[in-house]
Amino acid sequence: ERKSEANRKLGGKKVVITAGGTVERIDPVRYISNDSSGKMGFALARAAKEMGAEVTLIAARTDEAPPGDIRVVRVQSADDMYQAVSAEWDDCDILIKAAAVADYRPRERAETKIKKAGDTMTLELVKTVDILESFGQRKTSQLLVGFAAETGNAEMYARDKLVRKNLDLIVANDVGQPGAGFGVDTNIVSIYDRSGLVEELPLLSKDEVARRILSAAGDRLKEEGR
Ligand code: CTP
Ligand code: CA
């Protein structure tokens, strides 16, 4: 009974989820990345599918096993992820950016392995495209959900990102707390919209956090008649 109710919630909706940590290549054997495990994004993809959505999971580096019944697009860099989101954008109803996107990438990518030379080495980094911000600027009917992984002042930083990136919802997690954030199967998050707190969730499994986030997104679509 509960399952069929959950099933209807995102029925007929196209949900695009990004997950994992982007990989910014230095040379063929080295890269810059981050500690994102991809667990939250994969949990979101599974939950969205359970709730009846048509799901596309855009996945950067992760150890998670690909869910068999979900369409997965594999990417490496922030640039690749931007292209992959673009390809899904037009008929997308909900975009959730759970990926940890590198903020900077090496300016040059060496075609061959860089050899050791000298006592110091300088790598010049340039800013990557802010994927959420650029889609936030051009959104029409899409509902945009961002994540903010912070180590303190989570509410303030998250709400600033919500406004700056023109999002509908933002999920703030304080990765400094035990049981929250990278690499674990649980999370502690709060969801905000323009007018403030939507929901403050206790320590929950990432699967349950995913259901709550999608449920809030589904409610929002419905409220706005989208
Ligand atoms: N994000 C993105 N493209 C980027 C950087 C971030 O789409 N180049 C998205 C993330 O996927 C996340 C949200 O923006 O959903 C917030 O990411 P975060 O790293 O917290 O924000 P930044 O704007 O990069 O700010 P900072 O790292 O300085 O806190
Ligand atoms: Ca960042």
Side-chain angles (χ1 to χ4, degrees), residues 17-149:
I17 291 156
T18 70
T22 65
V23 166
E24 312 298 332
R25 284 265 155 217
I26 298 168
D27 73 10
V29 297
R30 303 182 179 100
Y31 59 82
I32 294 173
S33 193
N34 57 65
D35 283 331
S36 171
S37 60
K39 284 176 187 291
M40 194 63 243
F42 276 61
L44 281 160
R46 289 190 301 267
K49 180 87 184 174
E50 268 170 33
M51 292 163 81
E54 180 204 325
V55 182
T56 301
L57 175 60
I58 298 172
R61 194 196 48 71
T62 176
D63 294 331
E64 290 291 286
D69 53 347
I70 291 170
R71 191 164 88 86
V72 182
V73 178
R74 290 277 176 187
V75 296
Q76 282 220 330
S77 65
D79 257 2
D80 297 343
M81 185 171 278
Y82 175 83
Q83 299 297 337
V85 174
S86 289
E88 306 299 328
W89 177 247
D90 287 343
D91 56 350
C92 167
D93 295 297
I94 302 176
L95 170 64
I96 307 184
K97 287 234 59 209
V101 183
D103 292 332
Y104 296 91
R105 64 170 169 82
R107 181 185 289 281
E108 313 282 357
R109 171 182 172 167
E111 291 304 320
T112 54
K113 187 185 166 202
I114 298 170
K115 299 304 287 181
K116 178 166 57 180
D119 289 336
T120 63
M121 180 197 173
T122 305
L123 200 58
E124 192 178 3
L125 304 180
V126 295
K127 212 180 234 167
T128 56
V129 56
D130 192 312
I131 303 167
L132 255 188
E133 193 170 328
S134 66
F135 287 98
Q137 278 160 9
R138 76 176 91 145
K139 73 176 177 186
T140 49
S141 60
Q142 296 88 351
L143 190 100
L144 255 56
V145 184
F147 268 77

